[in-house]
Amino acid sequence: TAGAAGPRPEELAAYAMSMIPKDESYLQRKYATSLKAERDEVVKIPVFTSAPLALQDKIVDKTTVLQFPVGTKIVDQGSMGDAMYYVSSGSLIEKRVIGKDAVPVGIIPEGRCFGERCLIEPHAYESTYETLEASRVLRIKRSDLHALLPLFPGFFGTLLKLSYRRRAEYDTELSRRANGKMSPRG
């Protein structure tokens, strides 16, 4: 009918999102951009702040920039991880399945990352991560990092130490959150 208002933009966006398959690799391909990661973004990632400058430069070339709209699931709890993610802008909610419910357990704000352990070895993601707002996320794949490690043999030990330290910090934070309060994690 003439003059009838069509669907609201948020209804159209919700419908469009509902049509996207829930396969994470599809989502990540869909939202991958041709944008290049900036060196200053990569050096902020805790894993790479102490890396040799030459390795940082090579990691920049291997980093995929992903742009996700609000409400997009980035990875599912239990899916095998092959990459680490860094939130360059925006924020994510971290959820864990407890019983039959997905329970929010934390917020990953800008400047924080998850999946560092996946850089070392194949490992299932321990949580589901979803965007709370439009977010720019950097992804670094384990295979890309491991291809570079022979050029920087000392870095793997640094990576292991950092991974163990971050795991201990995360376990401590989960213990603190046992009372149901969410807090940012790093």
Side-chain angles (χ1 to χ4, degrees), residues 110-132:
E110 180 177 317
R112 301 294 173 95
C113 53
F114 69 92
E116 301 98 307
R117 188 170 173 186
C118 296
L119 287 178
I120 297 170
E121 61 186 352
H123 190 269
Y125 292 109
E126 297 176 348
S127 299
T128 294
Y129 298 90
E130 195 174 290
T131 57
L132 283 172

Side-chain angles (χ1 to χ4, degrees), residues 71-180:
T72 304
K73 191 181 296 182
I74 298 174
V75 299
D76 265 323
Q77 179 178 340
S79 63
M80 281 309 290
D82 69 343
M84 181 203 78
Y85 297 84
Y86 174 79
V87 181
S88 180
S89 66
S91 60
L92 313 177
I93 187 159
E94 177 183 5
K95 298 178 183 178
R96 289 237 173 135
V97 175
I98 300 173
K100 293 181 180 181
D101 299 320
V103 178
V105 295
I107 295 173
I108 312 296
E110 180 177 317
R112 301 294 173 95
C113 53
F114 69 92
E116 301 98 307
R117 188 170 173 186
C118 296
L119 287 178
I120 297 170
E121 61 186 352
H123 190 269
Y125 292 109
E126 297 176 348
S127 299
T128 294
Y129 298 90
E130 195 174 290
T131 57
L132 283 172
E133 59 189 310
S135 299
R136 176 183 166 103
V137 179
L138 306 182
R139 178 183 66 203
I140 300 169
K141 290 186 173 184
R142 179 180 57 255
S143 58
D144 290 337
L145 177 63
H146 281 238
L148 297 173
L149 287 177
L151 303 172
F152 304 92
F155 184 71
F156 191 72
T158 302
L159 183 61
L160 281 173
K161 288 178 193 172
L162 180 62
S163 175
Y164 291 132
R165 189 188 88 225
R166 299 237 333 133
R167 179 66 208 195
E169 290 169 356
Y170 181 61
D171 288 344
T172 300
E173 182 63 27
L174 280 180
S175 297
R176 288 185 192 141
R177 288 191 237 154
N179 65 6

